[in-house]
Each structure stands twice: as C-alpha cells, then as structure tokens.
Amino acid sequence: ETGVTQTPRHLVMGMTNKKSLKCEQHLGHNAMYWYKQSAKKPLELMFVYSLEERVENNSVPSRFSPECPNSSHLFLHLHTLQPEDSALYLCASSPLGGDYGYTFGSGTRLTVV
Amino acid sequence: DQQVKQNSPSLSVQEGRISILNCDYTNSMFDYFLWYKKYPAEGPTFLISISSIKDKNEDGRFTVFLNKSAKHLSLHIVPSQPGDSAVYFCAASALGSNYQLIWGAGTKLIIKP
C-alpha cells in the first residue's frame, strides 16, 4: 500500500465513452498531481492542485478534465479520447512545496480503442 | 527541449557489481535533484535526493553525486542486487517552482545473476 490509491488499475474505453479516474490519499498531503507516462517518454505533468485549487494546467487538451473535491481526492474525467491518449496515468501527492517525497499511486493503464 | 536527460534507455549490470546511472540537465536554476525507482505496474517511489549545495549524498547502497559545473548527476548502486532491476527516473526542481518536477525519460536497469 503506497498511501496513494488509484482506481481502476486498468481501463479500456472507446473514443466516444466518458469515464473517470479516481485518486485518493490519506497522507495529509496538500498537493495532488496528475501525470501521464507514455512509453519511452519523460513523465508529463498534466495538472496540479494545491489546497484543492488548480495551480497548474500544462496545456492539456480539454478532453481531460480534473476535479479535486477535497484534499484527499482527485479525479480525472475523460471524454472523447483519442488512441494516442493511451498511456499510464499516475496520480501523486506531496506536502506543499513538492520537493520532498512525492508519493505516487500505482497508476491506471488506459487503452483507448 | 528536454531539460533533464537520461541518455541511456537501458543498462545491464552483473549482480554484485556497481551500477552507475547518469543524468544531465540544462537548466542552471535547478537546485534540487531526485531519483525515483519504478517497478512494472507500480508508481515511481522516491529513492534518494540531493540539494545543489552538496555534491554527494549517500543512503546505504545508494549514492548520488552532483557535478554542478558539468550539470551532471549520477546514481551509484553498490553492490547491485536483483531487486534493483527497475526503471530509474531522474527529476529536478528549481527554487520557487514548488510544484514542477522536471523528469528524465528513465533508464531501465537490469541486474544479471
């Protein structure tokens, strides 16, 4: 148990589907992140929430929509995705500042068909 | 433009020998560097870090060296063990960036018995 729980672990969705990824942490961290990991590429930061407020949105297409209802939960809502969006989506949390000890979830392996 | 580069996609080392993983960066504003380790189907886990005011940090079998003039850091693992087989990511952050960790693409380390 890493302290950051992501569900589901695997997701296959069609391009017209709507689905959501869920992330939950009970580490008392105040910052939460969504990362995308594609094969042989660096981790790409997608969104950052600090104290439930979005502070970073790295030019992510609008078909990805984050939601942070409280400091323990983070969602990534997906709609009309493309096959190239297939990747591992990782959630992470950290104390404010982020320099120390990001804790990652195990990720959701997303396949868009 | 990748600010953090791990030029070796993979590295194979004999069990018991030293593993050396390298990372280069281009942004002179980076002041904190981290190494993460990732097993398949799991999120990255924090391994070791170093501040730019130091040139070496050691934790058990793991030592990170920082050469600021060369903008280069390396992770040494000695002796290498089969459980060290994983993908290793180098990451860097700049003072005041708070939320942004810039990641390398990772190096897959394979420890041969």
Side-chain angles (χ1 to χ4, degrees), chain A residues 36-55:
Chain A
K36 176 183 178 182
Q37 188 189 13
S38 303
K40 299 179 183 177
K41 286 187 177 180
L43 284 166
E44 300 173 51
L45 180 63
M46 300 176 73
F47 301 104
V48 181
Y49 277 82
S50 171
L51 296 172
E52 301 151 46
E53 190 176 322
R54 192 191 309 180
V55 295

Side-chain angles (χ1 to χ4, degrees), chain A residues 20-88:
Chain A
S20 296
L21 309 185
K22 181 182 176 182
C23 176
E24 186 172 353
Q25 62 93 7
H26 296 287
L27 300 169
H29 290 167
N30 292 312
M32 295 186 77
Y33 313 78
W34 280 116
Y35 277 91
K36 176 183 178 182
Q37 188 189 13
S38 303
K40 299 179 183 177
K41 286 187 177 180
L43 284 166
E44 300 173 51
L45 180 63
M46 300 176 73
F47 301 104
V48 181
Y49 277 82
S50 171
L51 296 172
E52 301 151 46
E53 190 176 322
R54 192 191 309 180
V55 295
E56 193 80 29
N57 176 0
N58 280 358
S59 303
V60 179
S62 59
R63 56 186 184 269
F64 295 91
S65 173
E67 179 190 1
C68 187
N70 54 62
S71 60
S72 298
H73 294 87
L74 185 65
F75 295 90
L76 187 63
H77 303 299
L78 316 170
H79 63 97
T80 59
L81 293 192
Q82 304 298 310
E84 59 264 30
D85 296 322
S86 299
L88 180 68

Side-chain angles (χ1 to χ4, degrees), chain B residues 38-90:
Chain B
K38 184 182 182 303
Y39 292 118
E42 295 183 17
T45 55
F46 172 75
L47 193 58
I48 192 169
S49 63
I50 188 166
S51 163
S52 60
I53 62 173
K54 295 186 174 182
D55 54 19
K56 177 183 174 181
N57 188 26
E58 193 171 350
D59 183 3
R61 297 185 297 112
F62 303 91
T63 303
V64 56
F65 294 92
L66 176 63
N67 182 334
K68 289 185 288 294
S69 61
K71 294 192 178 69
H72 176 84
L73 65 155
S74 60
L75 174 68
H76 293 213
I77 306 173
V78 57
S80 300
Q81 298 175 354
D84 297 329
S85 295
V87 177
Y88 289 79
F89 291 96
C90 170

Side-chain angles (χ1 to χ4, degrees), chain B residues 12-28:
Chain B
S12 187
V13 174
Q14 201 74 36
E15 181 179 356
R17 305 293 289 269
I18 184 171
S19 296
I20 300 176
L21 297 109
N22 293 304
C23 179
D24 297 293
Y25 61 96
T26 57
N27 188 343
S28 58

